[in-house]
Amino acid sequence: MLFDVNCYLGAWPFSLVPEMNAEQLARHLDRAGVDCAAVSPLGAVFQPEPMPANRALFAALRGKRRFIPLPVVNPALANWKEQLEECAAAPGVRAVRLYPNYHDYRLTRRTLLPFVDALEHHRLRLVITARIEDERHRYFALRIKGVPVADLTAFLKANPRTVPLVTGLSVTEAIQLASGTENFLADISYQENIELAAMLRGKLSSSRLMFGTLTPLVSAAAQSGKLCAPDFSAAERRRIASTNAVRFFSGPHADRR
Amino acid sequence: MSIIDAHTHPVMFKRGLTRPEVDRLVKHGRTLGVRWMVGLGDVLLYGRNFTAEQIVEVNDDSAKVQAMYPDYFRFFCFLNPRLGEKAVMGEVERCVDKYGFIGIKLEICNNARDACMKPVMEAARRWKLVVLQHSWSQTNIRQRSFHTDPADTATLARRHPDVPIIMAHLTGCGVRGVLEVKELDNVTVDTSGGLADEGLLEYAVEHLGANRIIHGSDLPGRSIGVSIQRVLGSRLSVSEKERILFSNAARLLNLG
């Protein structure tokens, strides 16, 4: 089974990729052999408040069991509690996603502490988006960098009982983050190397890695080729392909420390 | 389906030179259907200001790998065009005569529009070699004094229409890069570089035709499994996929 933890619905204004609806997304993932996906709304990246995009996501995914809605919360807005409550009440929601760099706040801000407490209250998991676009190829006027490893480290140390999934880290960033903290999981959407398994071994266990495609911006079929890297054992492949993601999205805080 | 990987670095920062490492790489490539691997050298080993001796060292390392599997590897001769005509011509002649290298690889020693490229292109003409130019959009990177933008590769191709050029890194060049070389029939584009942007390969085929695109992984920093699946998982026809994965490079580089 292949479980994509980094998948989106909606339009990206700087891409030629046509917007898909949920049925089209399902067919698209079928062609790449992806069985299920946690799906976030791209609209929430640029809109001033994420809930309209989240509501559209909930409606689009309703009744589609292969998709888990992964709505976005902006904790820098005054209504973050209302956002969180509405997301927690929506069917199928197990986690919420943050876009710190696109929403112009740092993970070190104090207001994130009550936000993390509220996540626990709602029994929701956390996904942090380190980056969506490769900074080298982004639209020339969109000068947004990835979330700094130092900020992620500070956040993880300030919230040691929280184990977020961080999407969009490069191999170097993931290893750097793992050298200072243990309470995070990472997707491999930005991690690629013919020696990927060897690079990560001993630094970031396969029990902390998940498969992610960045669909629809990146070819899901191409991303699936990462699991062909030599040296991944069959058990490691299974963990990365689906086991870890199923655990993350199935029960509330199953891996809380 | 047989596959040619036309953009690889089997040796990178001196890793990949030992027999077990080469054995492993060949085994992995063969498992995924790669019939030929085209090596481009350890092109970042000394930054971007390689001396003549360092260029020789890189090409000799490439030759060592080729000698281990002569029916699997073909290499390009890595050059620093800034070393001048004598050094360029001498190294190309040495690599062609001694090792049978089949092309010229240019990285970030200089920009492809620089005057120092003239003897490089003359060498390609004289020894009938393909020139592979590292190319990456400089819109955000802004290193154009030494780093080649697809517009610069297009300038090079326009100046030397009789020399076949591979513009490396479809993803790094992007839509703008495809359009820069659209009218230049002597330019082929390889599929390597960065994450496989959805739809970019199909866009390149629409504008360049499937005959002007060849498959490359850019290993070890990238993976062959990803680069192959990018093609196989695309919306292209079986014939187009076959040309990109094998026939185009076989024809361009005389690989059977």
Side-chain angles (χ1 to χ4, degrees):
Chain A
M1 185 171 93
L2 209 46
F3 190 135
D4 178 3
V5 300
N6 197 5
C7 185
Y8 300 84
L9 262 182
W12 188 256
F14 314 113
S15 167
L16 294 175
V17 175
E19 184 173 353
M20 289 185 276
N21 60 32
E23 289 73 21
Q24 290 166 326
L25 177 64
R27 287 196 293 274
H28 180 84
L29 294 178
D30 279 343
R31 282 194 293 275
V34 176
D35 301 286
C36 48
V39 184
S40 295
L42 276 178
V45 176
F46 297 107
Q47 291 166 3
E49 201 261 307
M51 287 317 296
N54 286 335
R55 291 179 197 120
L57 179 82
F58 299 147
L61 301 187
R62 188 166 296 133
K64 296 179 174 60
R65 296 174 59 87
R66 71 187 291 178
F67 294 133
I68 295 172
L70 179 53
V72 174
V73 170
N74 183 347
L77 295 177
N79 72 338
W80 66 262
K81 287 180 186 167
E82 288 80 4
Q83 294 174 44
L84 201 54
E85 280 167 15
E86 188 173 342
C87 289
V93 171
R94 308 278 191 206
V96 296
R97 180 186 281 280
L98 302 183
Y99 292 131
N101 48 1
Y102 288 93
H103 288 167
D104 196 26
Y105 62 87
R106 293 184 66 183
L107 287 172
T108 51
R109 67 184 290 154
R110 284 174 183 275
T111 51
L112 283 180
L113 295 174
F115 170 75
V116 171
D117 287 342
L119 280 178
E120 186 161 8
H121 171 75
H122 288 293
R123 302 173 70 78
L124 289 171
R125 294 174 184 279
L126 179 61
V127 178
I128 300 173
T129 316
R131 66 172 49 73
I132 300 175
E133 279 189 303
D134 185 331
E135 286 95 322
R136 297 172 299 172
H137 310 148
R138 68 187 171 205
Y139 177 64
F140 70 95
L142 193 68
R143 303 196 179 282
I144 294 174
K145 294 180 178 173
V147 176
V149 170
D151 283 13
L152 286 163
T153 303
F155 175 83
L156 295 170
K157 285 188 171 170
N159 299 281
R161 294 195 334 116
T162 300
V163 187
L165 164 63
V166 185
T167 62
L169 290 173
S170 69
V171 182
T172 307
E173 289 169 331
I175 291 172
Q176 195 182 343
L177 188 59
S179 71
T181 51
E182 289 188 354
N183 53 317
F184 76 97
L185 311 162
D187 87 326
I188 60 167
S189 62
Y190 264 91
Q191 298 179 18
E192 187 181 345
N193 192 293
I194 197 165
E195 302 284 358
L196 184 60
M199 290 173 81
L200 294 171
R201 192 155 291 136
K203 301 181 179 92
L204 191 60
S205 154
S206 62
S207 62
R208 295 168 62 188
L209 294 170
M210 300 184 201
F211 174 72
T213 66
L214 269 168
T215 295
L217 303 178
V218 174
S219 160
Q223 294 279 36
S224 72
K226 288 179 181 175
L227 296 172
C228 299
D231 290 346
F232 276 134
S233 68
E236 286 174 324
R237 282 197 181 95
R238 274 196 304 274
R239 281 196 284 272
I240 297 169
S242 63
T243 309
N244 299 335
V246 168
R247 184 181 302 126
F248 184 82
F249 285 103
S250 58
H253 301 285
D255 57 358
R256 295 255 333 190
R257 288 152 191 249
Chain B
M1 189 182 291
S2 276
I3 292 165
I4 295 173
D5 189 341
H7 191 132
T8 74
H9 301 276
V11 183
M12 188 54 95
F13 297 111
K14 288 287 185 183
R15 289 194 64 201
L17 263 173
T18 66
R19 183 75 200 203
E21 288 171 322
V22 178
D23 287 348
R24 220 160 59 89
L25 177 60
V26 171
K27 184 182 173 193
H28 178 57
R30 284 179 172 157
T31 300
L32 296 176
V34 175
R35 168 64 190 85
W36 287 103
M37 209 173 265
V38 179
L40 304 175
D42 196 352
V43 296
L44 295 172
L45 179 61
Y46 295 112
R48 57 186 180 86
N49 292 308
F50 283 73
T51 65
E53 293 75 22
Q54 289 166 342
I55 290 285
V56 167
E57 179 187 340
V58 167
N59 288 325
D60 285 352
D61 284 350
S62 294
K64 285 175 195 161
V65 173
Q66 184 172 279
M68 290 183 214
Y69 284 91
D71 294 329
Y72 194 73
F73 288 107
R74 287 288 182 271
F75 273 86
F76 277 35
C77 169
F78 175 51
L79 293 176
N80 176 0
R82 294 168 63 211
L83 295 174
E85 181 173 2
K86 189 178 172 190
V88 162
M89 289 294 183
E91 184 61 4
V92 173
E93 183 172 25
R94 187 181 80 90
C95 287
V96 171
D97 287 354
K98 190 173 177 184
Y99 300 135
F101 284 3
I102 61 170
I104 291 171
K105 161 65 174 169
L106 302 164
E107 187 68 17
I108 53 170
C109 298
N110 63 285
N111 185 298
R113 63 187 172 180
D114 293 347
C116 61
M117 291 294 286
K118 198 172 174 185
V120 173
M121 303 309 276
E122 181 51 37
R125 206 172 279 117
R126 186 182 302 175
W127 280 282
K128 298 190 186 323
L129 300 174
V130 175
V131 172
L132 187 146
Q133 174 64 61
H134 167 90
S135 309
W136 207 280
S137 171
Q138 296 302 299
T139 301
N140 292 323
I141 298 176
R142 298 184 184 278
Q143 298 174 332
R144 207 162 172 184
S145 61
F146 61 88
H147 203 156
T148 297
D149 185 86
D152 304 321
T153 305
T155 298
L156 180 72
R158 225 172 265 120
R159 287 175 181 163
H160 304 277
D162 56 331
V163 176
I165 294 171
I166 299 171
M167 181 170 82
H169 307 311
L170 173 61
T171 304
C173 294
V175 165
R176 184 171 64 78
V178 168
L179 297 176
E180 289 283 0
V181 300
K182 183 171 181 174
E183 306 303 327
L184 300 166
D185 290 339
N186 58 325
V187 179
T188 301
V189 180
D190 84 36
T191 62
S192 70
L195 291 182
D197 287 349
E198 178 65 39
L200 182 57
L201 181 61
E202 290 87 340
Y203 182 87
V205 169
E206 179 188 344
H207 288 268
L208 305 177
N211 289 348
R212 287 178 57 194
I213 300 165
I214 59 176
H215 161 254
S217 68
D218 203 10
L219 69 83
R222 295 282 159 183
S223 91
I224 319 175
V226 169
S227 61
I228 292 172
Q229 286 304 319
R230 177 185 201 173
V231 179
L232 292 178
S234 71
R235 295 173 182 274
L236 301 175
S237 70
V238 173
S239 163
E240 289 168 328
K241 290 175 185 176
E242 190 280 333
R243 279 180 272 166
I244 292 168
L245 286 171
F246 187 83
S247 302
N248 295 340
R251 186 179 63 251
L252 185 68
L253 302 172
N254 289 316
L255 298 172

